[in-house]
Amino acid sequence: MTRPCCRIPSVALVATLSLLLAAAFLPATSADRATPVAGSPIILTAGAPGGERWDVDVSVVDRDDVNVRCTSAGLRLREARAAGHRARSPHSAVAEGMLLTTPRTLARPATRVRAEINASVPAGATAEAQVRGWRTAGWTEWQAATGGAVFDRPVTRVQTRVVLTAPNGGATATVSGVRLTADATAAVSAATPGRTYRVYATRIGLVGEVTANGRTVQPRDHFVALPSRRGLSPLNTGDYTVRVCTTSGARCEYAPVWDVGPWNTRDDYWNPSSVRENWKNLPQGRPEAQAAYQSGYNGGRDQFGRTVLNPAGIDLADGTFWDGLRLTTNAWVDVAYLWTGGGPRGVVGDGPLNIRSGASTSYAVRGLAARLAHVPLQCYVTGQSVAGPYRTTTRWNRLATGQYVSHAYISSVYGGSVPVC
């Protein structure tokens, strides 16, 4: 249930400029982004003539929004002090907040969404509008609406989030209006589907702290953090799920992405250079923190100028680390970024769910699927009857890795029909 926060008077959008505002924390590779004059309104790139237009309601803050509040002037950070307690956490370098809107169903499919914003941004702060689109295979990654976020295939729904950051203890931006325009343009290639990379994993810990999407970390929790908001799931969803496995392949876990880090917040290293937000000269699949730690890239520092002390490209919550993979120390792991793939997906409605080597509870457990994770369903077989929260069934779904999960625990399937094996 939402609660009205404030009603901002209707104000004409004063100007139009690129929405992606580079703050003082970004590395030199992103220095081409515009930095506004302190205290001046942001000028954003105007939407294209025609198309479907709508205004984002920034006057309502509810439970899926993080560290933002409404004032008579507009949307601002609620708390401008950094929240992270660990030196390598992005949350210790800047204060950040996020307003997540309800998805909008478009009157007709679109391949481009542009944004206009009316905001005042002090020096060092940022205000950014990001969008994602729904297609048959699920949600796209989040993109900044700079000059138009372009999708490789038509989308039928669009969701917007407004992200605010400020220096630790510094002044915050104030956003009084955001307008979006959806239209069609020539499609471009997105990230290569189904990419898997070997990266270094560290354990999150931090029980009781709040993640970037607003979740309070629980003991033995099951989720991961990646160093880019492009793959951040909204609260209580698994829209962006990874499959993380030990390098031997003996154990795997499917887990949602619920936090940002380690080290960076703008390093979607799984994307090709044409899509990657920063550090485009690094090989695809190489996290900036790994390059900084191993070879002194960027002077051995992260985007905030901190010395990188390990090569981590993913953080694992305690349950994923200890129970899913049965790790005892930080380690290299193989990670599949499942939203870059295709085919049917099943949503794990109750979990963590055991992943087994066959279609019966008598088969060995090979890992876990976290609650709300979206798992790729290759096909299904008939096996042992299982009574679960959604049905009693003999159907067992075979995952892309060749393991099985009972359909009794799958709350929904999308992205196509699942064939018989």
Side-chain angles (χ1 to χ4, degrees):
M1 178 178 181
T2 60
R3 52 183 175 83
C5 178
C6 63
R7 291 291 168 189
I8 300 170
S10 177
V11 179
L13 295 175
V14 293
T16 49
L17 153 258
S18 172
L19 231 210
L20 183 57
L21 300 174
F25 304 116
L26 295 185
T29 53
S30 56
D32 56 337
R33 296 184 182 141
T35 302
V37 177
S40 66
I42 302 175
I43 304 172
L44 299 171
T45 301
E52 182 174 344
R53 292 180 175 173
W54 69 98
D55 292 321
V56 171
D57 188 356
V58 297
S59 67
V60 176
V61 173
D62 56 26
R63 291 193 302 175
D64 60 7
D65 302 318
V66 182
N67 193 32
V68 289
R69 64 187 177 94
C70 284
T71 68
S72 58
L75 185 73
R76 297 168 57 87
L77 285 176
R78 184 177 67 242
E79 176 57 67
R81 289 193 298 270
H85 294 165
R86 293 186 303 173
R88 68 185 181 86
S89 169
H91 308 309
S92 69
V94 295
E96 59 184 3
M98 179 174 63
L99 175 76
L100 183 71
T101 69
T102 301
R104 177 184 176 88
T105 300
L106 301 177
R108 53 184 174 273
T111 56
R112 177 174 57 185
V113 178
R114 296 189 178 195
E116 303 169 79
I117 190 170
N118 187 25
S120 176
V121 183
T126 69
E128 179 176 84
Q130 301 171 352
V131 296
R132 63 176 183 167
W134 177 266
R135 52 198 181 189
T136 303
W139 288 105
T140 68
E141 286 189 354
W142 291 99
Q143 298 186 45
T146 307
V150 179
F151 305 111
D152 63 328
R153 290 187 293 275
V155 300
T156 57
R157 285 190 286 160
V158 171
Q159 188 171 29
T160 309
R161 65 185 183 189
V162 180
V163 179
L164 304 179
T165 71
N168 191 7
T172 174
T174 303
V175 176
S176 57
V178 178
R179 173 167 292 179
L180 298 173
T181 302
D183 58 14
T185 188
V188 298
S189 297
T192 305
R195 287 291 183 176
T196 301
Y197 294 105
R198 180 163 293 181
V199 297
Y200 193 70
T202 48
R203 184 175 66 85
I204 291 177
L206 303 181
V207 173
E209 292 198 16
V210 178
T211 68
N213 77 346
R215 178 178 176 81
T216 300
V217 180
Q218 302 299 308
R220 294 189 108 89
D221 219 339
H222 290 264
F223 68 89
V224 306
L226 292 176
S228 169
R229 293 189 186 92
R230 286 184 167 182
L232 178 66
S233 299
L235 184 64
N236 295 326
T237 79
D239 296 344
Y240 304 98
T241 293
V242 299
R243 185 190 71 225
V244 55
C245 301
T246 58
T247 55
S248 68
R251 298 281 300 187
C252 293
E253 177 162 324
Y254 293 83
V257 184
W258 284 348
D259 204 4
V260 178
W263 297 110
N264 295 306
T265 64
R266 294 180 179 272
D267 186 20
D268 52 324
Y269 59 80
W270 53 88
N271 280 330
S273 60
S274 60
V275 177
R276 189 170 182 168
E277 188 170 8
N278 287 310
W279 304 296
K280 295 176 179 291
N281 59 340
L282 286 176
Q284 185 177 357
R286 178 75 57 81
E288 189 275 343
Q290 180 182 340
Y293 180 79
Q294 292 180 333
S295 57
Y297 182 83
N298 195 36
R301 300 181 181 276
D302 67 5
Q303 75 181 66
F304 304 105
R306 303 172 300 185
T307 299
V308 174
L309 302 178
N310 63 47
I314 189 170
D315 267 342
L316 309 180
D318 290 356
T320 303
F321 189 93
W322 286 326
D323 304 326
L325 300 190
R326 295 184 177 172
L327 296 175
T328 58
T329 188
N330 298 337
W332 294 93
V333 294
D334 293 325
V335 182
Y337 309 85
L338 298 177
W339 61 91
T340 66
R345 295 289 191 270
V347 179
V348 178
D350 193 22
L353 175 62
N354 286 326
I355 300 170
R356 297 186 179 273
S357 59
S360 166
T361 57
S362 64
Y363 283 91
V365 175
R366 298 301 188 193
L368 298 172
R371 178 178 172 270
L372 300 177
H374 293 203
V375 296
L377 306 181
Q378 189 178 67
C379 58
Y380 71 90
V381 300
T382 299
Q384 177 188 359
S385 180
V386 174
Y390 299 100
R391 61 191 67 84
T392 297
T393 180
T394 58
R395 172 172 163 174
W396 286 73
N397 297 299
R398 189 169 77 189
L399 307 181
T401 51
Q403 279 81 43
Y404 295 81
V405 293
S406 171
H407 197 60
Y409 291 85
I410 301 299
S411 62
S412 62
V413 175
Y414 67 92
S417 59
V418 182
V420 177
C421 295

